[in-house]
Amino acid sequence: MPTSIALGADHAGFTYKEAIREHLAARNFSVEDFGAYSKDSMDYPDIAHPLAEAVQQQRHDLGILVCGTGNGVAITANKHSQIRAALCWNQEIAALVRQHNDANILCLPARFISEEEALALVDVFLKTDFEGGRHGRRVNKITC
């Protein structure tokens, strides 16, 4: 089970990020908050790049990013070597991206899921382990 989580969001994901931060703190996870720190409009790459670098450098076990669709932060984070950021909108996908893809950053679409579902996705993502085996062979072929 991971213990150190990098957490970030843009303005559209700010409210969910705050709820996730409190949720993780209540479960004794160490959390570094990469922002945003308000609902003021900001650019998601300004959060996603530093967070992805922190996960890439293994300063945190896993990361969680939230934006309106989840796509902007996922696309940005996936520019970093060894980052496998996965957009998730239901619990089955959150489990499978960990089991089969060894995803290390969960990306959530705040405008398309409830806060309750976001917290459930976080829990599934964090408790699910990579299966390895044939999936490891495939994951090893991802990096260019």
Side-chain angles (χ1 to χ4, degrees), residues 3-144:
T3 58
S4 178
I5 309 299
L7 177 63
D10 70 356
H11 56 281
F14 171 75
T15 301
Y16 281 28
K17 178 193 66 88
E18 291 297 296
I20 292 167
R21 185 175 48 75
E22 291 174 15
H23 182 77
L24 294 173
R27 287 159 177 74
N28 297 316
F29 285 95
S30 171
V31 178
E32 181 177 355
D33 187 342
F34 283 76
Y37 304 109
S38 74
K39 292 182 183 179
D40 294 340
S41 182
M42 54 87 56
D43 301 332
Y44 58 82
D46 294 341
I47 302 299
H49 280 306
L51 186 146
E53 288 172 8
V55 173
Q56 179 185 31
Q57 296 167 359
Q58 299 179 340
R59 295 193 333 250
H60 297 286
D61 299 318
L62 295 171
I64 301 168
L65 285 165
V66 189
C67 73
T69 66
N71 282 301
V73 292
I75 291 166
T76 303
N78 278 319
K79 297 295 182 187
H80 295 263
S81 177
Q82 303 304 312
I83 293 301
R84 292 170 303 281
L87 173 60
C88 296
W89 57 91
N90 69 42
Q91 293 179 44
E92 183 178 12
I93 292 170
L96 288 172
V97 300
R98 289 287 299 133
Q99 291 169 342
H100 294 184
N101 308 118
D102 199 18
N104 51 14
I105 298 178
L106 171 66
C107 299
L108 299 173
R111 293 184 177 137
F112 298 92
I113 61 173
S114 69
E115 185 177 300
E116 178 181 81
E117 185 63 17
L119 297 176
L121 293 171
V122 166
D123 289 342
V124 168
F125 186 81
L126 296 179
K127 76 177 183 185
T128 304
D129 293 322
F130 180 50
E131 290 179 354
R134 70 184 188 278
H135 303 297
R137 182 181 72 243
R138 294 167 185 159
V139 168
N140 289 335
K141 292 181 179 183
I142 292 173
T143 302
C144 294

